[in-house]
Amino acid sequence: MRFLYIGGSDVFSRHELGFVAALSGFEELDVVVLGGEGRSRRLHIASFKGDHIVTFYEIPCNSLARVHLCANIISSLLNINDYDAVFATPRLPLLTARRLKTPMRVILRLWSIRAAKLKDNLRFGAYEDTLIFIPSTIANAYYILNSTYSIAVDHATYTFAKKFYLLLKSRIAKVYPPYVYILSENEVHQEVPEIIDRGNYILGFTILGKRGSYLKFEAKPHAIVLYLLAKRTGVDVVLAGSDYDDWKHVFPGLEPPRNLHIVGKGFPDNIVAKMYKNALLAVIPITNRNISNRLLEALFYGKPVVTSEIAKLVHPELEHGKHLFISTWDTIVNDVIEVLKDEDLLRSLRQGAREAYDRYFSTKRNTMFVKRLLST
């Protein structure tokens, strides 16, 4: 089978690149990126089960008002009659796919519904989201109605869609995406922080350089958790995704302890892999009910994971104490300390992480899912 994938810049997020890798296992795949620089390039992506070279066509078209132009550009670049199906992300990519003059099936990648996260956002004080509940619900109903099938990438989005779009529920399916890393022959060699080479640290990622609700309700609380772990355990703690300037901007009167290593951001995949390899465990609390690339990444690298209770809503198949350790924001510091003391539990969580990834997230599982979906 031959596939076309249409997305925006979100195609380069790990959950979408992982799905692209799964589609690469078929006869042929081309990827169109709307809003790009007007070029084509080949990207080398890999997982534990193999690697793939995928062609990405980036076209400078990113406005809903120009959806017909987007479709015409794609038709001029590619012979769209050669494809058996087109996969598209919401909004402009899906609308563009529908305007291609071909009878091929259109499969929506339903990786988030803003309305589905309203309860979480209200809990964090984002009351303005009440204004977008109805528009978001209507917009996603339109996207699902204009697709042959819709693939939700987490359980919370899947159950919301099945509940609110009863007449369309036969079109809605679910499969968790794989994780891939990027291989590059011209990889920029970046210095590895000394603490990463030493190993035996608690690992966390949080982006203190962001602003708004993400900073207030996820990035800052996560950083506080890592700070308290450093203070209370004496164990080295690595905070990646932020630099010291970000820390001082968010916590101007709070100096990090010496064993809290704020190592920076923008690391290439080979260093990210080393960060996980040398860590004792990963602390990855989840705030919103949608796919977490960091959780996906930690499972891929087979690390013990301590996360928050939202994980049960996003991936209910994952078992507490076996695949990951599910805590709460209120108890996560104490729970991490207890997990660190239990070598048997750490060993079980390492094994469970890889088992969970292979069973629920792998490229093989996604490839088999697509075959079954398109055979119906």
Side-chain angles (χ1 to χ4, degrees), residues 202-237:
I202 298 167
L203 177 62
F205 289 83
T206 191
I207 306 176
L208 294 173
K210 285 197 173 183
R211 300 293 178 260
S213 58
Y214 172 86
L215 173 65
K216 184 177 181 181
F217 303 120
E218 183 165 317
K220 187 175 180 180
H222 193 171
I224 292 171
V225 166
L226 298 175
Y227 172 87
L228 292 174
L229 285 169
K231 292 284 284 186
R232 291 184 54 186
T233 65
V235 175
D236 285 318
V237 177

Side-chain angles (χ1 to χ4, degrees), residues 104 155 164 192 252:
M104 65 180 167
H155 188 75
F164 276 81
V192 179

Side-chain angles (χ1 to χ4, degrees), residues 289-302:
R289 305 173 195 214
N290 55 265
I291 191 72
S292 166
N293 282 309
R294 286 305 177 198
L295 177 59
L296 178 61
E297 187 174 72
L299 294 174
F300 175 79
Y301 285 115

Side-chain angles (χ1 to χ4, degrees), residues 2-7 30-34 59 61 66-89 91-107 146 148:
R2 298 182 175 185
F3 297 137
L4 176 64
Y5 178 108
I6 304 175
D30 290 310
V31 179
V32 172
V33 183
L34 302 181
I59 63 176
C61 184
R66 306 178 70 190
V67 62
H68 289 287
L69 175 62
C70 297
N72 289 338
I73 293 174
I74 294 172
S75 297
S76 68
L77 285 172
L78 304 168
N79 186 351
I80 58 175
N81 293 315
D82 286 347
Y83 301 106
D84 296 292
V86 55
F87 294 82
T89 55
R91 294 179 287 278
L92 180 60
L94 177 73
L95 299 178
T96 300
R98 293 301 304 174
R99 279 157 181 78
L100 295 173
K101 297 176 181 178
T102 173
M104 65 180 167
R105 291 166 287 186
V106 176
I107 317 299
N146 279 275
T148 311

Side-chain angles (χ1 to χ4, degrees), residues 5-6 15-20 23 87-90 94 107-112 147 149-153 175-178 366 369:
Y5 178 108
I6 304 175
H15 59 79
E16 287 309 292
L17 273 182
F19 187 69
V20 165
L23 294 180
F87 294 82
T89 55
L94 177 73
I107 317 299
L108 172 65
R109 292 287 292 161
L110 192 62
W111 45 263
S112 180
S147 61
Y149 298 107
S150 298
I151 303 175
V153 303
V175 67
Y176 300 148
N366 276 253
F369 170 86

Side-chain angles (χ1 to χ4, degrees), residues 158 161-163 165-173:
Y158 173 72
K162 296 278 279 190
K163 177 180 178 181
Y165 309 126
L166 287 174
L167 297 179
L168 302 173
K169 65 179 184 179
S170 62
R171 302 186 184 191
I172 301 168

Side-chain angles (χ1 to χ4, degrees), residues 41 85 92 157 200 217 230 265 335 345:
R41 58 175 171 142
L92 180 60
T157 300
N200 294 320
F217 303 120
K265 49 195 172 183
D335 287 338
L345 179 56

